[in-house]
Amino acid sequence: MEKDNSPIIEQLKKVSTATVATCLFKKGLKNQFIQNVRPLKKVTTTMVGQAYTLRYIPAREDLNPIEVFRNPKHLQRMAVEECPKGHVLVIDSRKDSRAASAGSILVTRLMKRGASGIVTDGGFRDSAEIAELDFPSFHQSPSAPTNLTLHQAIAINEPIGCGDVAVFPGDYIIGDDDGVMVVPSHLAEEVAKECIQMTLYEEFVMEKVNGGTAIIGLYPLTNEDIKIEFEQWKKKNRRE
């Protein structure tokens, strides 16, 4: 029986990528933020899901004519049709946005199948249409040419590199307005719990700062009196 990961996902939806980055940094992981990838539109709900991956290599003309799309086993199409519900499709486009990683039809199909989002370190074609979808989508920049002109789909659900970050199938992908973080699957439960507590303290800090309190001793927390005050604040607000 598969483990129920919904509690981890629900917790991660309540925290920011900035908080996750700090939490992972404390654990020695400094390179989990996918570089040069941004949302197509403002994120209203944090994207969270486990990674299902697609990897491209440079296209070779004799192997990558437009007719390959007729192949029912074409790996780009298979990735869209096999990405499990609740997962995020993460595409290794070699940080090359000169040709599209996907377009609005494939992204819409992914949405209709119940995926939680899509991330590429390349670009999307039909980007304005994708931005209109109720579906978290992250890329480097818009791109009109089909992926076949530069990219050849070579593997699905294997370890990839996306925006200079190693992504393994099953890793947790978190996306918001700042970008996308990758949390190793074996750390996800621990990170989710810690980030909830970090977010709670940050809420307390913002309340204090807005009230005129200096940050020394408050952020980071080094003042024992503030520690006591925070515990009292949690009890008062029933936030333990």
Side-chain angles (χ1 to χ4, degrees), residues 154-202:
I154 198 68
I156 56 176
N157 218 32
E158 294 182 359
I160 62 170
C162 185
D164 292 324
V165 179
V167 181
F168 290 80
D171 283 348
Y172 284 77
I173 309 299
I174 302 101
D176 61 16
D177 286 320
D178 284 343
V180 179
M181 288 293 299
V182 180
V183 179
S185 58
H186 69 282
L187 292 175
E189 185 172 5
E190 179 183 340
V191 167
K193 290 178 180 177
E194 289 186 23
C195 285
I196 287 291
Q197 292 304 310
M198 290 170 66
T199 300
L200 188 61
Y201 184 66
E202 289 166 3

Side-chain angles (χ1 to χ4, degrees), residues 14 19 27 29-30 33 60 69 72 79 84 91 111 133 154 160-161 164 166 182 208-209 222 228 238:
K14 298 175 183 177
T19 299
K27 299 180 185 303
L29 281 78
K30 306 174 185 178
F33 183 70
R60 205 176 76 183
F69 278 152
I91 304 175
M111 176 184 71
L133 298 175
I154 198 68
I160 62 170
D164 292 324
V182 180
K208 296 289 291 181
V209 170
T222 58
I228 295 171
R238 297 181 179 179

Side-chain angles (χ1 to χ4, degrees), residues 46-127:
T46 300
M47 177 189 72
V48 181
Q50 290 183 269
Y52 190 85
T53 62
L54 169 63
R55 179 163 60 91
Y56 290 134
I57 61 173
R60 205 176 76 183
E61 287 80 359
D62 61 328
L63 298 177
N64 225 42
I66 198 165
E67 287 79 17
V68 300
F69 278 152
R70 295 178 179 273
N71 181 358
K73 298 295 184 180
H74 187 270
L75 291 178
Q76 184 201 44
R77 269 53 176 173
M78 288 180 65
V80 170
E81 293 297 334
E82 294 181 5
C83 180
K85 183 178 180 179
H87 281 54
V88 175
L89 181 60
V90 185
I91 304 175
D92 174 2
S93 288
R94 304 174 295 112
K95 301 184 291 183
D96 191 343
S97 63
R98 291 177 299 158
S101 302
S104 60
I105 292 175
L106 298 191
V107 176
T108 299
R109 173 60 178 162
L110 200 61
M111 176 184 71
K112 292 297 184 179
R113 292 195 64 253
S116 289
I118 185 170
V119 178
T120 178
D121 60 3
F124 293 125
R125 67 196 311 192
D126 314 318
S127 57

